[in-house]
Amino acid sequence: MSDQKTLKIYNPFNQELIKEIPMMGKKEVMDSLETAYGLFQNRSKWIPTFKRIEILEKVQEIMKGKVEELTNTAAEEGGKPYQDSKVEVLRAINGVKIAAEEIGRLTGEQIPMGLTEASVGRIAFTTREPIGVIASISAFNHPLNLIIHQTVTAFAAGCPVIVKPASTTPLSCFAFLEILKEAGVPEGWVQIIITDNDIAESLVTDQRINYLSFIGSAKVGWYLKSKLAPGTRCALEHGGAAPVIVEKDAKIEEMIPALAKGGFYHAGQVCVSVQKVFVHESIARDVAEKIAAAGKKMVVGDPLDKKTEVGPLITPKEVDRIEEWVNEAVENGAEAISGGKRISDTCFEPTVLWDPSQDMKVSKEEIFGPVICVYPYSDREKAIEIANSLQYHFQAAVFTQNLDIALDTVQKLNATAVMVNDHTAFRVDWMPFGGRDASGEGLGGIPYSMHEMTREKLMVIKSKLL
């Protein structure tokens, strides 16, 4: 009888076993690294630019024929409702398109010479080269689209990549790698590893890794960065607390659907989910009650049911955690205007908490669940100060009809992106995306990732003819 460990994949809604996958030992993982490193070191094996574009165009075509299949895989393993998982799949196809188009923009520039006597007789220019072998560690909440952002970008930039999908949601990654193979990606350029965290750490900290792309918890991300080999670059994407400032002139009826969707989408399991909503005291209660009413109308349940709007948490222990955090807030003075209770072992009610104390976990930490906290304020400057007081700074938002107030708030909120009259979770895949301070380092967004996955080389030619 084999003693090989297996990874069990469960449906997060009904906890049924979907599949068991054999886990790789250290030798297999290091063999994957040796393969990737060998490809990069042998320049004759590099895939020509035009060929990478051709392959990625073929990937798009294959994906378009598998939208339903990919949607169901993502929804079943990740718990994001069918309707939102389908949007994710379509985004992923567009992401491949963006990467293919961006290849031609990975260019250098001419550096002026002859500006001093010592530089006469020379011409200089830069080119961009692949950075090397990339290790990508992914998260569960977008099981296909995150894989696109962490593998297609590397391949498009000319880098071999080894990806470790989230242990709860690897099936979308396997499905995508089959598509890459069908499209003609040569063996070894995009590899998947299913292994434990210690072995994954051995991989990413190996000196043959040139770049780490990490999406996950701050604790793990900063730890891995501290262990990287000298010269290994990285992009770390952690979470945030997504503050929103709502001024008294905000258009409430237009705003409510955006805030409710931004907070309850994928049961709040998004790194930029609406979490902390600071509202001018003259309209705060009205806004809180309207968000609560919108949440109550949402259909919570089986993600494979096309009517479902809010699915399960990724594991039952996450339901336990959110229940503990909400109970702590209520016991210490917060009011649950709506929700506040588990529906089952796997689902939690869309919840609106009124004015929890700032020293409660729901106010201090990333909730990563279907919970929106509403805080009344009289002084916008003070609300911004509280919003900025956490160590997490990712995306934020302001709702107002006053352009000066909007610009002032955008300037004063500590965030990498501030949405004006839109929710914090807005994203398109060609924009820069990433946290600052404890929320991460480096930028995602397909063009930005591809740029980071290359490095410049300067060529200076000396000639008497120049």
Side-chain angles (χ1 to χ4, degrees), residues 418-430:
V418 182
M419 310 302 156
V420 178
N421 295 325
D422 202 354
H423 62 73
T424 57
F426 173 78
R427 183 187 186 185
V428 289
D429 296 296
W430 57 88

mmCIF file with all atom_site columns, all heavy atoms in Angstrom, residues 418-430:
data_model
loop_
_atom_site.group_PDB
_atom_site.id
_atom_site.type_symbol
_atom_site.label_atom_id
_atom_site.label_alt_id
_atom_site.label_comp_id
_atom_site.label_asym_id
_atom_site.label_entity_id
_atom_site.label_seq_id
_atom_site.pdbx_PDB_ins_code
_atom_site.Cartn_x
_atom_site.Cartn_y
_atom_site.Cartn_z
_atom_site.occupancy
_atom_site.B_iso_or_equiv
_atom_site.pdbx_formal_charge
_atom_site.auth_seq_id
_atom_site.auth_comp_id
_atom_site.auth_asym_id
_atom_site.auth_atom_id
_atom_site.pdbx_PDB_model_num
ATOM 1   N N   . VAL A 1 418 ? -7.911  54.785 -5.039  1.00 0.00 ? 418 VAL A N   1
ATOM 2   C CA  . VAL A 1 418 ? -9.123  55.309 -4.405  1.00 0.00 ? 418 VAL A CA  1
ATOM 3   C C   . VAL A 1 418 ? -10.185 55.480 -5.484  1.00 0.00 ? 418 VAL A C   1
ATOM 4   O O   . VAL A 1 418 ? -9.971  56.184 -6.472  1.00 0.00 ? 418 VAL A O   1
ATOM 5   C CB  . VAL A 1 418 ? -8.876  56.656 -3.692  1.00 0.00 ? 418 VAL A CB  1
ATOM 6   C CG1 . VAL A 1 418 ? -10.166 57.121 -3.009  1.00 0.00 ? 418 VAL A CG1 1
ATOM 7   C CG2 . VAL A 1 418 ? -7.747  56.542 -2.672  1.00 0.00 ? 418 VAL A CG2 1
ATOM 8   N N   . MET A 1 419 ? -11.314 54.815 -5.293  1.00 0.00 ? 419 MET A N   1
ATOM 9   C CA  . MET A 1 419 ? -12.429 54.915 -6.226  1.00 0.00 ? 419 MET A CA  1
ATOM 10  C C   . MET A 1 419 ? -13.338 56.070 -5.812  1.00 0.00 ? 419 MET A C   1
ATOM 11  O O   . MET A 1 419 ? -13.658 56.209 -4.629  1.00 0.00 ? 419 MET A O   1
ATOM 12  C CB  . MET A 1 419 ? -13.240 53.614 -6.239  1.00 0.00 ? 419 MET A CB  1
ATOM 13  C CG  . MET A 1 419 ? -12.417 52.357 -6.419  1.00 0.00 ? 419 MET A CG  1
ATOM 14  S SD  . MET A 1 419 ? -11.457 52.376 -7.937  1.00 0.00 ? 419 MET A SD  1
ATOM 15  C CE  . MET A 1 419 ? -10.138 51.247 -7.512  1.00 0.00 ? 419 MET A CE  1
ATOM 16  N N   . VAL A 1 420 ? -13.749 56.866 -6.773  1.00 0.00 ? 420 VAL A N   1
ATOM 17  C CA  . VAL A 1 420 ? -14.673 57.957 -6.502  1.00 0.00 ? 420 VAL A CA  1
ATOM 18  C C   . VAL A 1 420 ? -16.046 57.544 -7.014  1.00 0.00 ? 420 VAL A C   1
ATOM 19  O O   . VAL A 1 420 ? -16.219 57.244 -8.201  1.00 0.00 ? 420 VAL A O   1
ATOM 20  C CB  . VAL A 1 420 ? -14.212 59.272 -7.173  1.00 0.00 ? 420 VAL A CB  1
ATOM 21  C CG1 . VAL A 1 420 ? -15.226 60.383 -6.912  1.00 0.00 ? 420 VAL A CG1 1
ATOM 22  C CG2 . VAL A 1 420 ? -12.832 59.668 -6.657  1.00 0.00 ? 420 VAL A CG2 1
ATOM 23  N N   . ASN A 1 421 ? -17.021 57.492 -6.100  1.00 0.00 ? 421 ASN A N   1
ATOM 24  C CA  . ASN A 1 421 ? -18.394 57.083 -6.401  1.00 0.00 ? 421 ASN A CA  1
ATOM 25  C C   . ASN A 1 421 ? -18.476 55.670 -6.978  1.00 0.00 ? 421 ASN A C   1
ATOM 26  O O   . ASN A 1 421 ? -19.260 55.380 -7.885  1.00 0.00 ? 421 ASN A O   1
ATOM 27  C CB  . ASN A 1 421 ? -19.086 58.103 -7.326  1.00 0.00 ? 421 ASN A CB  1
ATOM 28  C CG  . ASN A 1 421 ? -19.263 59.447 -6.639  1.00 0.00 ? 421 ASN A CG  1
ATOM 29  O OD1 . ASN A 1 421 ? -19.495 59.508 -5.432  1.00 0.00 ? 421 ASN A OD1 1
ATOM 30  N ND2 . ASN A 1 421 ? -19.149 60.526 -7.399  1.00 0.00 ? 421 ASN A ND2 1
ATOM 31  N N   . ASP A 1 422 ? -17.627 54.799 -6.446  1.00 0.00 ? 422 ASP A N   1
ATOM 32  C CA  . ASP A 1 422 ? -17.670 53.382 -6.793  1.00 0.00 ? 422 ASP A CA  1
ATOM 33  C C   . ASP A 1 422 ? -17.113 52.591 -5.610  1.00 0.00 ? 422 ASP A C   1
ATOM 34  O O   . ASP A 1 422 ? -16.418 53.151 -4.759  1.00 0.00 ? 422 ASP A O   1
ATOM 35  C CB  . ASP A 1 422 ? -16.846 53.105 -8.048  1.00 0.00 ? 422 ASP A CB  1
ATOM 36  C CG  . ASP A 1 422 ? -17.267 51.819 -8.769  1.00 0.00 ? 422 ASP A CG  1
ATOM 37  O OD1 . ASP A 1 422 ? -18.118 51.080 -8.224  1.00 0.00 ? 422 ASP A OD1 1
ATOM 38  O OD2 . ASP A 1 422 ? -16.748 51.564 -9.873  1.00 0.00 ? 422 ASP A OD2 1
ATOM 39  N N   . HIS A 1 423 ? -17.423 51.286 -5.553  1.00 0.00 ? 423 HIS A N   1
ATOM 40  C CA  . HIS A 1 423 ? -16.989 50.494 -4.402  1.00 0.00 ? 423 HIS A CA  1
ATOM 41  C C   . HIS A 1 423 ? -15.509 50.148 -4.487  1.00 0.00 ? 423 HIS A C   1
ATOM 42  O O   . HIS A 1 423 ? -14.877 50.228 -5.544  1.00 0.00 ? 423 HIS A O   1
ATOM 43  C CB  . HIS A 1 423 ? -17.846 49.232 -4.245  1.00 0.00 ? 423 HIS A CB  1
ATOM 44  C CG  . HIS A 1 423 ? -17.764 48.289 -5.407  1.00 0.00 ? 423 HIS A CG  1
ATOM 45  N ND1 . HIS A 1 423 ? -16.667 47.504 -5.661  1.00 0.00 ? 423 HIS A ND1 1
ATOM 46  C CD2 . HIS A 1 423 ? -18.654 47.999 -6.383  1.00 0.00 ? 423 HIS A CD2 1
ATOM 47  C CE1 . HIS A 1 423 ? -16.877 46.754 -6.724  1.00 0.00 ? 423 HIS A CE1 1
ATOM 48  N NE2 . HIS A 1 423 ? -18.079 47.044 -7.196  1.00 0.00 ? 423 HIS A NE2 1
ATOM 49  N N   . THR A 1 424 ? -14.952 49.726 -3.370  1.00 0.00 ? 424 THR A N   1
ATOM 50  C CA  . THR A 1 424 ? -13.515 49.475 -3.254  1.00 0.00 ? 424 THR A CA  1
ATOM 51  C C   . THR A 1 424 ? -13.045 48.267 -4.054  1.00 0.00 ? 424 THR A C   1
ATOM 52  O O   . THR A 1 424 ? -11.856 48.129 -4.330  1.00 0.00 ? 424 THR A O   1
ATOM 53  C CB  . THR A 1 424 ? -13.127 49.240 -1.784  1.00 0.00 ? 424 THR A CB  1
ATOM 54  O OG1 . THR A 1 424 ? -13.907 48.131 -1.277  1.00 0.00 ? 424 THR A OG1 1
ATOM 55  C CG2 . THR A 1 424 ? -13.398 50.471 -0.940  1.00 0.00 ? 424 THR A CG2 1
ATOM 56  N N   . ALA A 1 425 ? -13.952 47.362 -4.397  1.00 0.00 ? 425 ALA A N   1
ATOM 57  C CA  . ALA A 1 425 ? -13.558 46.120 -5.055  1.00 0.00 ? 425 ALA A CA  1
ATOM 58  C C   . ALA A 1 425 ? -13.528 46.231 -6.575  1.00 0.00 ? 425 ALA A C   1
ATOM 59  O O   . ALA A 1 425 ? -13.356 45.224 -7.262  1.00 0.00 ? 425 ALA A O   1
ATOM 60  C CB  . ALA A 1 425 ? -14.488 44.980 -4.636  1.00 0.00 ? 425 ALA A CB  1
ATOM 61  N N   . PHE A 1 426 ? -13.690 47.452 -7.100  1.00 0.00 ? 426 PHE A N   1
ATOM 62  C CA  . PHE A 1 426 ? -13.601 47.601 -8.553  1.00 0.00 ? 426 PHE A CA  1
ATOM 63  C C   . PHE A 1 426 ? -12.188 47.239 -9.029  1.00 0.00 ? 426 PHE A C   1
ATOM 64  O O   . PHE A 1 426 ? -11.186 47.656 -8.450  1.00 0.00 ? 426 PHE A O   1
ATOM 65  C CB  . PHE A 1 426 ? -13.918 49.036 -8.997  1.00 0.00 ? 426 PHE A CB  1
ATOM 66  C CG  . PHE A 1 426 ? -13.658 49.252 -10.464 1.00 0.00 ? 426 PHE A CG  1
ATOM 67  C CD1 . PHE A 1 426 ? -14.554 48.798 -11.412 1.00 0.00 ? 426 PHE A CD1 1
ATOM 68  C CD2 . PHE A 1 426 ? -12.488 49.866 -10.902 1.00 0.00 ? 426 PHE A CD2 1
ATOM 69  C CE1 . PHE A 1 426 ? -14.302 48.957 -12.775 1.00 0.00 ? 426 PHE A CE1 1
ATOM 70  C CE2 . PHE A 1 426 ? -12.219 50.033 -12.251 1.00 0.00 ? 426 PHE A CE2 1
ATOM 71  C CZ  . PHE A 1 426 ? -13.138 49.584 -13.194 1.00 0.00 ? 426 PHE A CZ  1
ATOM 72  N N   . ARG A 1 427 ? -12.147 46.465 -10.125 1.00 0.00 ? 427 ARG A N   1
ATOM 73  C CA  . ARG A 1 427 ? -10.853 46.132 -10.726 1.00 0.00 ? 427 ARG A CA  1
ATOM 74  C C   . ARG A 1 427 ? -11.035 45.716 -12.171 1.00 0.00 ? 427 ARG A C   1
ATOM 75  O O   . ARG A 1 427 ? -11.995 45.024 -12.511 1.00 0.00 ? 427 ARG A O   1
ATOM 76  C CB  . ARG A 1 427 ? -10.166 44.990 -9.972  1.00 0.00 ? 427 ARG A CB  1
ATOM 77  C CG  . ARG A 1 427 ? -8.784  44.680 -10.552 1.00 0.00 ? 427 ARG A CG  1
ATOM 78  C CD  . ARG A 1 427 ? -8.130  43.451 -9.957  1.00 0.00 ? 427 ARG A CD  1
ATOM 79  N NE  . ARG A 1 427 ? -6.767  43.321 -10.465 1.00 0.00 ? 427 ARG A NE  1
ATOM 80  C CZ  . ARG A 1 427 ? -5.963  42.299 -10.211 1.00 0.00 ? 427 ARG A CZ  1
ATOM 81  N NH1 . ARG A 1 427 ? -6.374  41.317 -9.440  1.00 0.00 ? 427 ARG A NH1 1
ATOM 82  N NH2 . ARG A 1 427 ? -4.744  42.261 -10.701 1.00 0.00 ? 427 ARG A NH2 1
ATOM 83  N N   . VAL A 1 428 ? -10.119 46.175 -13.021 1.00 0.00 ? 428 VAL A N   1
ATOM 84  C CA  . VAL A 1 428 ? -9.961  45.586 -14.344 1.00 0.00 ? 428 VAL A CA  1
ATOM 85  C C   . VAL A 1 428 ? -8.521  45.094 -14.423 1.00 0.00 ? 428 VAL A C   1
ATOM 86  O O   . VAL A 1 428 ? -7.645  45.591 -13.706 1.00 0.00 ? 428 VAL A O   1
ATOM 87  C CB  . VAL A 1 428 ? -10.274 46.588 -15.474 1.00 0.00 ? 428 VAL A CB  1
ATOM 88  C CG1 . VAL A 1 428 ? -11.759 46.883 -15.532 1.00 0.00 ? 428 VAL A CG1 1
ATOM 89  C CG2 . VAL A 1 428 ? -9.472  47.876 -15.309 1.00 0.00 ? 428 VAL A CG2 1
ATOM 90  N N   . ASP A 1 429 ? -8.279  44.135 -15.289 1.00 0.00 ? 429 ASP A N   1
ATOM 91  C CA  . ASP A 1 429 ? -7.017  43.403 -15.220 1.00 0.00 ? 429 ASP A CA  1
ATOM 92  C C   . ASP A 1 429 ? -5.829  44.115 -15.867 1.00 0.00 ? 429 ASP A C   1
ATOM 93  O O   . ASP A 1 429 ? -4.710  43.628 -15.788 1.00 0.00 ? 429 ASP A O   1
ATOM 94  C CB  . ASP A 1 429 ? -7.204  42.010 -15.822 1.00 0.00 ? 429 ASP A CB  1
ATOM 95  C CG  . ASP A 1 429 ? -8.190  41.193 -15.007 1.00 0.00 ? 429 ASP A CG  1
ATOM 96  O OD1 . ASP A 1 429 ? -7.893  40.914 -13.838 1.00 0.00 ? 429 ASP A OD1 1
ATOM 97  O OD2 . ASP A 1 429 ? -9.277  40.847 -15.523 1.00 0.00 ? 429 ASP A OD2 1
ATOM 98  N N   . TRP A 1 430 ? -6.084  45.257 -16.487 1.00 0.00 ? 430 TRP A N   1
ATOM 99  C CA  . TRP A 1 430 ? -4.963  46.005 -17.069 1.00 0.00 ? 430 TRP A CA  1
ATOM 100 C C   . TRP A 1 430 ? -4.550  47.190 -16.195 1.00 0.00 ? 430 TRP A C   1
ATOM 101 O O   . TRP A 1 430 ? -3.636  47.921 -16.534 1.00 0.00 ? 430 TRP A O   1
ATOM 102 C CB  . TRP A 1 430 ? -5.315  46.486 -18.483 1.00 0.00 ? 430 TRP A CB  1
ATOM 103 C CG  . TRP A 1 430 ? -6.552  47.338 -18.552 1.00 0.00 ? 430 TRP A CG  1
ATOM 104 C CD1 . TRP A 1 430 ? -6.624  48.703 -18.402 1.00 0.00 ? 430 TRP A CD1 1
ATOM 105 C CD2 . TRP A 1 430 ? -7.883  46.889 -18.798 1.00 0.00 ? 430 TRP A CD2 1
ATOM 106 N NE1 . TRP A 1 430 ? -7.925  49.129 -18.540 1.00 0.00 ? 430 TRP A NE1 1
ATOM 107 C CE2 . TRP A 1 430 ? -8.722  48.034 -18.780 1.00 0.00 ? 430 TRP A CE2 1
ATOM 108 C CE3 . TRP A 1 430 ? -8.460  45.643 -19.032 1.00 0.00 ? 430 TRP A CE3 1
ATOM 109 C CZ2 . TRP A 1 430 ? -10.102 47.965 -18.994 1.00 0.00 ? 430 TRP A CZ2 1
ATOM 110 C CZ3 . TRP A 1 430 ? -9.830  45.583 -19.229 1.00 0.00 ? 430 TRP A CZ3 1
ATOM 111 C CH2 . TRP A 1 430 ? -10.634 46.721 -19.213 1.00 0.00 ? 430 TRP A CH2 1
#
